[in-house]
């Protein structure tokens, strides 16, 4: 039996790989308008980073994180020894902690400087039960804004994400934006205690996970997927009744900015997100139709204490991440079809083997000026070469035989309307060189520009 990809992972075949590339470029372009610059961090980080940053009691750290270990360290553990904390590494389950670590390590937010605005894209890893929209290796695009605590940053980030979703083709009316406030270190402890007391009063009704959460982090019970716990938490205390005056003002200001931008939202007082580092603003974008059980396609919030948790100076932060695979489900529900990749613009067909060297040279010249050019490498007949050109999506086919090599006059066929044109290759070479010189501010020549569309008789 042939080996297959691990459960919970998938291959991005050419069509989707090209779309993922376009998806990332669009995100970087849209977020770049708001001043965000790209950053890439390692796929693997010290386990301590996620324990301190995300929270040891979270499902992500306690259940879902993949920890990597070298063969030598494995032998040490099996032998009853201990390994250094610096050798305990984990595949990143999310992107924020690594970006914040990089910002602290490289001092990207000097005191008094403008906020650091960073955007990233790449794979994340969680040991979850695979299902539609949830994989063990999945792709995310995310942003982090470090160094500004104004509510305008929160609103700007939310608006920016909604604009991106619209740009890639997710209908605005299909999305639900949920927002809430998680409070701060002054008001959240009181709320946390109220939730703990509520859970303790209903302990016999809780699932095993929520019984554990009651002691480690009661707020995680709001994130439970057990139907009975969900129904129970609907009557639990609400954070909005416990917010301090500063958090209330911050939350109201965020909403006022969203209102001014005509962004429709739903206030969801049970929204807590899944990570411990959030403070004040949290939000989530959901697409209920077509995405299966995993309706959230993106979300995030403010994390004003995270930088300190990983050893940096007190630095406010805000960020979000969006899931590529879930966005694809939302796009497919809206009618997206992946475009067939065009592998070839012009195909050079050989009449016989005597012209292959000339065809090979011609193909290299076409590629050198930016065209996707191909030729047969398997000794096919001329008829089969035309079939191959059609399969490759070639718009033009140039036929090269001994007579064409000698005369320099080549027949080029438009595969769309089947019209043909005689081309003087010597003159065409000069034109190719002209295009190769990039006379149009760096644009690359296309087959249609060089050889014409053959629309005229």
């Amino acid at each position: 039996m042939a080996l297959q990809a691990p459960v919970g992972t998938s291959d991005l075949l050419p069509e989707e790989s090209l779309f993922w590339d376009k998806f990332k470029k669009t995100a970087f372009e849209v977020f770049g308008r708001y001043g965000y610059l790209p950053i890439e961090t390692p796929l693997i980080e010290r386990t301590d980073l996620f324990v301190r940053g995300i929270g040891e009691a979270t499902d992500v750290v306690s259940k879902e994180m993949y920890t990597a270990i070298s063969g030598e360290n494995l032998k040490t553990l099996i032998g009853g020894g201990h390994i250094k904390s610096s050798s305990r590494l984990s595949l990143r389950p999310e992107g924020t902690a690594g970006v914040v670590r990089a910002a602290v390590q490289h001092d990207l937010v000097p005191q008094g400087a403008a906020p650091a605005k960073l955007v990233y894209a790449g794979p994340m890893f969680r040991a979850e039960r695979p299902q539609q929209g949830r994989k063990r290796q999945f792709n995310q695009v995310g942003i982090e804004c470090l160094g500004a605590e104004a509510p305008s940053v929160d609103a700007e980030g939310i608006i920016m994400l909604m604009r991106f979703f619209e740009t890639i083709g997710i209908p605005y009316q299909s999305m639900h934006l949920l927002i809430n406030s998680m409070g701060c270190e002054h008001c959240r402890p009181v709320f946390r205690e109220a939730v703990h007391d509520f859970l303790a009063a209903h302990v016999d009704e809780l699932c095993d996970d929520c019984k554990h959460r009651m002691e480690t982090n009661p707020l995680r019970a709001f994130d439970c997927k057990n139907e009975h716990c969900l129904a129970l938490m609907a009557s639990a205390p609400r954070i909005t009744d416990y917010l301090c005056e500063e958090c209330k003002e911050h939350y109201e200001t965020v909403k006022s900015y969203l209102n001014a931008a005509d962004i429709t939202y739903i206030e969801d007082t049970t929204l807590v997100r899944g990570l411990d580092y959030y403070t004040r603003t949290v939000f989530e974008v959901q697409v209920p139709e077509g995405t299966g059980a995993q309706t959230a396609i993106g979300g995030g919030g403010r994390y004003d204490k995270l930088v300190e948790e990983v050893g940096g100076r007190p630095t406010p932060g805000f960020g979000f991440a969006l899931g590529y695979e879930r966005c694809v489900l939302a796009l497919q529900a809206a009618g997206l079809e992946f475009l067939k990749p065009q592998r070839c613009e012009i195909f050079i067909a050989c009449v016989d083997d005597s012209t292959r060297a000339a065809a090979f040279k011609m193909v290299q010249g076409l590629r050198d000026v930016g065209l996707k050019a191909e030729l047969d490498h398997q000794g096919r007949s001329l008829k089969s070469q035309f079939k191959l050109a059609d399969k490759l999506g070639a718009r033009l086919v140039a036929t090269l035989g001994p007579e064409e090599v000698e005369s320099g006059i080549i027949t080029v066929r438009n595969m769309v309307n089947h019209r043909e044109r005689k081309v003087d290759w010597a003159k065409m070479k000069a034109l190719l060189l002209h295009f190769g010189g990039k006379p149009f501010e760096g644009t690359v020549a296309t087959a249609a520009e060089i050889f014409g569309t053959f629309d005229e008789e």
Side-chain angles (χ1 to χ4, degrees), residues 55 143 191 341 373 386:
I143 64 95
F191 173 59
F386 269 84

Side-chain angles (χ1 to χ4, degrees), residues 229-448:
C229 289
L230 278 172
L232 178 66
M233 296 308 292
S235 57
R238 294 290 178 261
I239 181 63
T240 46
D241 296 329
Y242 293 83
L243 295 178
C244 64
E245 289 304 314
E246 287 187 3
C247 287
K248 284 181 182 177
E249 182 180 355
H250 187 278
Y251 186 43
E252 292 301 319
T253 305
V254 171
K255 291 189 290 183
S256 71
Y257 282 125
L258 296 178
N259 292 333
D262 294 323
I263 298 294
T264 303
Y265 57 85
I266 300 168
E267 293 188 70
D268 182 355
T269 56
T270 68
L271 180 66
V272 296
R273 301 289 292 164
L275 309 176
D276 280 356
Y277 52 60
Y278 285 119
T279 57
R280 292 188 171 172
T281 305
V282 289
F283 74 98
E284 190 167 280
V285 182
Q286 299 180 353
V287 177
E289 301 297 328
T291 55
Q294 306 303 319
T295 60
I297 59 174
R302 178 161 287 283
Y303 49 84
D304 291 338
K305 299 300 176 182
L306 180 57
V307 176
E308 292 175 75
E309 288 289 339
V310 300
R313 294 185 297 269
T315 305
F318 174 89
F320 63 69
L322 56 100
Y324 166 72
E325 287 80 6
R326 296 187 189 180
C327 286
V328 168
L329 291 175
L331 287 165
Q332 289 174 333
L336 167 75
E337 292 184 7
F338 294 123
L339 296 177
K340 295 287 185 182
Q342 185 184 24
R343 293 177 54 185
C344 178
E345 292 176 289
I346 180 168
F347 188 95
I348 308 300
C350 298
V351 171
D352 56 40
D353 290 343
S354 68
T355 62
R356 292 195 180 277
F360 187 85
K361 181 178 180 180
M362 186 181 295
V363 165
Q364 306 316 312
L366 292 168
R367 290 167 175 165
D368 287 345
V369 295
L371 290 176
K372 296 177 181 178
E374 273 290 358
L375 77 163
D376 170 46
H377 293 282
Q378 296 171 292
R380 290 179 173 88
S381 67
L382 186 60
K383 182 179 180 180
S384 295
Q385 289 179 66
F386 269 84
K387 288 182 179 180
L388 174 61
D390 196 46
K391 287 181 181 179
L392 294 176
R395 185 172 186 179
L396 304 173
V397 176
T399 304
L400 194 63
E403 184 178 331
E404 285 77 14
V405 172
E406 183 177 348
S407 67
I409 305 298
I410 304 169
T411 300
V412 180
R413 176 183 293 184
N414 185 312
M415 297 292 283
V416 177
N417 55 30
H418 303 293
R419 291 175 180 155
E420 295 185 344
R421 174 177 293 177
K422 298 290 185 181
V423 175
D424 185 327
W425 185 252
K427 293 180 180 178
M428 190 54 59
K429 186 175 180 181
L431 181 58
L432 287 169
L433 291 172
H434 176 63
F435 273 96
K438 301 178 182 178
F440 303 120
E441 300 179 348
T443 58
V444 177
T446 67

Side-chain angles (χ1 to χ4, degrees), residues 31 33 47 52 58 74 103 117 132 157 177 215 219 235 261 271 290 294 323 387 401 411 418 431 450:
F31 302 156
R33 298 174 199 159
T47 303
R52 292 169 60 183
T58 62
L74 179 59
K117 289 184 168 184
Q132 187 182 38
L177 169 62
E215 301 303 332
L219 302 189
S235 57
L271 180 66
Q294 306 303 319
K387 288 182 179 180
T411 300
H418 303 293
L431 181 58
I450 292 178

